[in-house]
Amino acid sequence: MTMSAKLVPSSDLPNPQHSRATRIQVAKRFIFLLIGAGLVSVGLEIFLVPNNIIDGGVVGISIILSHLTSLPLGVFLFILNLPFFFLGYKQIGKTFALSTLIGVLIMSVGTTLLHPVPAFTIDPLLAAVFGGIILGVGVGMVIRYGGSLDGTEIVAILLNKKSPFSVGEIVMFFNLFILASAGFVFGWDHAMYSLIAYYIAFKMIDITIEGFDESKAVWIISDNYRDIGDAILSRLGRGVTYLDGEGGFTGGEKRVIFCVITRLEEAKMKSIVENYDPTAFLAVGNIHDVKGGRFKKKDIH
C-alpha cells in the first residue's frame, strides 16, 4: 500500500540558524548530568564493585582493571573514555562531547570519593538488583540530557558502517564478551550476577529515557474510517489524522487513520475498531518520543 505525500524542493526548505541554549537550559542540563553521573557512582561503589559485580562496556572493563591493578576505579573510567570524547565530537557534535566529558568527570570523581564508604549490602543478588536499578536510572538520565558515560556505542556506530551487524548487535557482543571475562576474574557466580545487573540496568535506561507513559502509534485501514475516527475522538479523547492511501493489490483508494495513544489506551482502541469493523487492518507500533501537535489528551465522554 502506498500513501500520497507532497515533496518540497530543497531550495524551498527553510534554513534555520542554530540557536544557542539559554542559561536556564544549560543549568538544567548540568544539574541532571550531575545527578545522573552521581547515581551511577552510587550504584557502582555502594552496590556493584564491593560485591565483585560488573556492568558492560567501558565501565565493566574499568572495574576488572581496577581489581587487577588495585588502582582507583575513577582513573580507568576517565582514561578509557578519553578517546571517545574525540570520536563523539567528530561523529555527533560538540555539545554531546562536552556533556559526555562532564558526565564522565563527575562519575570518576564520585567513585573515588565513595570508594571508602562501606557497601549497603553483601548479598550479591540484592546488590545486583538495586545496583542495576540505580545504575540504569543514572545512565538513562545522562543520555536523556545529551551525554554518555560509555564509549561502546560510539565504536559500534563506526563499526556498523563497515559490517553487516546492527549497532545493538555489536554493543551486545562487546558486553557479552566483557561479562564473560568477569567469570575468569571474579568467578562464574559473580558473572551471572553481573548479567542480572546488566539486564536490569538496560531496562531502567529505557524507562528513564522514554518514561513510564510509553506512547504508541496506530494505523487503521477501514471503509468505516469516519465512524472509527469519530469514536476515537469522542470515546478515547484522542485526535486523529486521515491519510490518503492506495491499495497495492487492488489499486483502490483507501483512507488511513493515524493517531498516537498511550499503552494503557491500546486495549480500548482495539475494542473501538473491533466494534465498528471487525475486518479492519490495525497496526500498533512503539514510539519513543512525542512532541508538538495536539497530543495532549482531551476529556473522555
Side-chain angles (χ1 to χ4, degrees), residues 90-201:
K90 292 181 179 180
Q91 296 294 321
I92 303 177
K94 180 180 178 180
T95 301
F96 171 81
L98 181 59
S99 299
T100 299
L101 177 61
I102 293 173
V104 172
L105 278 173
I106 295 171
M107 178 177 63
S108 301
V109 173
T111 53
T112 303
L113 295 177
L114 290 173
H115 184 70
V117 179
F120 278 12
T121 177
I122 57 173
D123 185 319
L125 181 58
L126 289 176
V129 172
F130 285 94
I133 292 173
I134 295 173
L135 186 73
V137 171
V139 172
M141 196 174 293
V142 171
I143 294 174
R144 185 166 184 167
Y145 286 90
S148 175
L149 297 177
D150 196 299
T152 307
E153 290 188 0
I154 300 175
V155 174
I157 292 172
L158 295 177
L159 293 178
N160 170 253
K161 298 177 180 179
K162 300 180 180 180
S163 71
F165 301 105
S166 67
V167 173
E169 289 171 338
I170 296 172
V171 170
M172 182 62 68
F173 173 78
F174 282 155
N175 288 332
L176 287 177
F177 175 78
I178 294 167
L179 292 171
S181 301
F184 296 98
V185 179
F186 300 114
W188 293 108
D189 54 343
H190 289 280
M192 288 184 280
Y193 285 125
S194 298
L195 189 60
I196 294 173
Y198 172 74
Y199 178 79
I200 293 174

Side-chain angles (χ1 to χ4, degrees), residues 163-289:
S163 71
F165 301 105
S166 67
V167 173
E169 289 171 338
I170 296 172
V171 170
M172 182 62 68
F173 173 78
F174 282 155
N175 288 332
L176 287 177
F177 175 78
I178 294 167
L179 292 171
S181 301
F184 296 98
V185 179
F186 300 114
W188 293 108
D189 54 343
H190 289 280
M192 288 184 280
Y193 285 125
S194 298
L195 189 60
I196 294 173
Y198 172 74
Y199 178 79
I200 293 174
F202 179 79
K203 289 297 181 182
M204 291 306 300
I205 289 172
D206 284 344
I207 292 174
T208 305
I209 294 174
E210 300 171 9
F212 287 97
D213 196 18
E214 183 182 356
S215 299
K216 291 181 176 288
V218 180
W219 294 267
I220 305 165
I221 304 175
S222 170
D223 292 333
N224 299 329
Y225 66 91
R226 184 65 65 178
D227 292 334
I228 295 174
D230 291 342
I232 293 172
L233 284 166
S234 61
R235 294 176 54 190
L236 202 57
R238 291 294 182 188
V240 299
T241 300
Y242 298 106
L243 307 173
D244 293 325
E246 179 183 337
F249 289 103
T250 65
E253 294 184 357
K254 295 287 184 179
R255 294 285 271 176
V256 182
I257 303 172
F258 173 77
C259 66
V260 177
I261 61 175
T262 67
R263 60 181 174 181
L264 299 178
E265 297 166 336
E266 182 178 354
K268 188 167 185 178
M269 167 66 74
K270 292 179 178 178
S271 175
I272 291 173
V273 176
E274 177 72 19
N275 183 44
Y276 284 94
D277 186 359
T279 63
F281 174 83
L282 173 66
V284 181
N286 296 327
I287 53 178
H288 292 164
D289 200 8

